[in-house]
Every structure is written in C-alpha cells, then in structure tokens.
Amino acid sequence: MAGSGAGFVPPSTADFNLPPIIGNNAYSTKPVFLVLLSVLVISAFFIAASRKALVVPSKLQFAGESIYAFVRNDIGEEIIGHEFMRFVPFLFTLFTFILTNNVFGIVPFLQFPSMSHVSFPYVLAVFSFVIFHAVGVKKQGLGKYLKGIAFMPGVPKAVYILLTPIEIATFFLVRPLTLSLRLFANMFAGHLLLLVFIMGGDHLIRGVIGLKLIAPFAFAFGIGMTFFEFMVQCLQAYIFTLLTALFIAGALSDEH
Amino acid sequence: MATGGEEGALWSIMGYLLSGLIIWGGIGAAVDHWLGTHFFLLIGLLLGGGASMYLVWLRFGRK
Amino acid sequence: MKGTLNLVGYGLSAIGPAIATGMIFAAYISGVARQPEARSVLQPIAFLGFALAEALALFGLVLAFVL
C-alpha cells in the first residue's frame, strides 16, 4: 500500500491555472484562446447554416434553425411575453456562447471549459445585470423602479427596516452573484470530477497488479461521467439564459 | 406567467433567503467584531432568516 | 489533501433539506396532476414549504463558512 499509494497527487485548483501559451504574456492562456475559438465556431456555424436559406431546409439549416427556435419560443416568448422580440438577439448570443464554451470541456484535445475560470461568468452576469436594470428603468422610470424593488406594498412601515436591505441586496448583489457562481461552480466541479477519475485511473494502472484490475472501472466511470457532464453543460447554458429572461420579465412587469 | 414562472419563483426564493442571511448575519458579525461579543451573529442570522421567510410569504404565499 | 470538517458536516446536514424538497415537489406535482384546478391553492403552500426546507440548508451553508 505504501509503495503504490504514495506519489499520487490529487487534482486541485492548481490544475486550473494554466501557463501562458505565447511567451510570458499573461493574457495568452488556454481559456482566452478557447473563448476566441468559440466566437469563430459559432459565427462559422450560423453563417453556414443561414447562407442558403431554403423552404425545405438542409440538415445544417435545420440544426441552426432549431437552436434559434428553441431560444426564441421556449425561452423568449414563453417567459418575457409580447415584448420578447427585442431581447432574442441577446438571449440567443448568451445561450450559444455559454453552450459552446461549456461543451469545450469534453471536446477531445480542447478539454477545458473556459467558464471554469470565474471571470468569464462574472462578465456575462454583468451584461445581464446591466440589461435587466436598464430595461426596468426605461420602462417604469428610475424612481418608480427603485421604489418597486425596495418597498413591498402592504406592509407596516416599521417592517421596512427589516425587509428593504434584503430586497436591495437580492436585486443588486445576490442575483448577479448567484447567476455567475452557479455556472462557474458547475463547470469547475465537473472538470475536477473528470480529472479525478481519469488521473486516478491513470495512477491505478501504473500500480501493482491488484490495482491494475480496478483501473478499467475508474476509466469506465470517467467515460460515464463525461456524458453526465455533457448534460450538465447544456443544462447550465439553458438555466443561465432562462434566468436572464426571467429577470428581464420581472423588470418589465410592474406588479412588484 | 406559465411554467417558467414557477422555476423563476424557486430561484428567487433561494435568493431572498440567502441575501437575508448574508445581510443580517453580516450586520450581526460586524456588531460582534465591534463590541467583542459572540451572540449578535446568531441573533442576526435568526433575524435575517425570519425576515426573508416573511418576505417570501409576502411575495409568494398570500393571495 | 486539506480541508475542514465543517464542510463534511454541511454535506451531512444538506441531506435532510434535499429529501424534504424532493418530497414537497413530489406531493405538489401529483396533487396538480390529479386536480389541475387546485394549482393556485397548492402553489403557495408548496413554495412556503420549499422556503422552509431551503432556509435550513442555507443556515447550514452560512454556518459552515462562519464557525
């Protein structure tokens, strides 16, 4: 046990700090290139899919159109309501961008979800934060919008001391923070999980004969977890877009 | 709002509870730090939890 | 490997709210499926039950970081 168990370094947060690719430039790490690549991939795919639009769609056109229809109908129209068309470009960009960057986590040779670096989800959350507050302010006016957030109707005046800080913290701090941290934590934990199984299996197969027999199970579990990760990645892209749409819908409706 | 409303309600319930605990628990921890006591954190957490439950009831429980 | 026992304790304490949330929504879904017009009556009750269960889980989360 001492001979085989020693020397295994469990994967940790240090595995996410990748060295720069070009020289010593701190901005040339793998996630940055993955984000740039994702922009190219998305643009190329949708340009190719919509270049020759036919009444009877080709397979590529059908794929592109069904993604677009999913975002427009199932997220946009269902949740935002009759004004949804203004927000579809933003929601669609958000969904395809997050989905592509998440799925990079299981594409062979790329194999790194760029959203597992927390700064990318932060930026996306800032975008949706600014947009849903701007929509609310534009629709209802600044004073009325802030009053609607901070003061719940139908409550005795003294209780506002207790409730108003919570309301303000929810809308301006917890919402963008949970939005970005949910995406980050899922991608981070998923990548770490895959690292544990694959690196652990790799270590087991170098061990004594008894451990070699266990190694295939570790690899099989790693492969199973890869499919599970694919599900999580799609789900997180959907949830991020869905919550952004829900925030926009909440800012548009003046019931609260 | 149809089915999407329920899902959104669940996430915003979680947000309310979390921010209630963070804000009032944070105030309690700050008072503790300032006075050198230990029980204001607990009071703040209970107050925040209660207040956010009340807020959830106001927004989703009544009518 | 480093870590703190607080997080193990939080993991154990999160089992209860997880089961509770599952049972609340199982009951809500089967209630709405049997009697769709009862949705407006059941929805606030389900949400409040969810909030109660979730409050315990979040208490555990905050205390795991604070203590």
Side-chain angles (χ1 to χ4, degrees), chain A residues 70-83:
Chain A
F70 170 71
V71 175
R72 193 187 68 180
N73 300 336
D74 292 354
I75 299 178
E77 190 172 12
E78 176 116 338
I79 286 163
I80 300 180
H82 63 279
E83 278 181 271

Side-chain angles (χ1 to χ4, degrees), chain A residues 11-17 101-102 105 112-119 121 180-196 229 232-233 236:
Chain A
S12 68
T13 50
D15 289 311
F16 288 83
N17 294 328
N101 274 297
N102 284 352
F112 191 84
S114 32
M115 292 296 157
S116 65
H117 272 253
V118 74
S119 36
S180 51
L181 287 184
R182 182 179 304 120
L183 177 60
F184 156 71
N186 272 286
M187 290 306 106
F188 183 83
H191 193 61
L192 207 56
L193 192 69
L194 293 185
L195 280 182
V196 166
E229 268 314 299
V232 172
Q233 284 157 350
Q236 288 305 316

Side-chain angles (χ1 to χ4, degrees), chain B residues 6-21:
Chain B
E6 287 179 7
E7 225 172 317
L10 297 184
W11 288 118
S12 58
I13 286 173
M14 216 184 95
Y16 278 136
L17 293 169
L18 197 59
S19 55
L21 288 175

Side-chain angles (χ1 to χ4, degrees), chain C residues 40-65:
Chain C
S40 57
V41 183
L42 293 179
Q43 197 172 24
I45 304 174
F47 282 178
L48 285 182
F50 169 73
L52 271 170
E54 193 70 19
L56 294 178
L58 291 176
F59 256 111
L61 176 68
V62 171
L63 287 177
F65 280 109

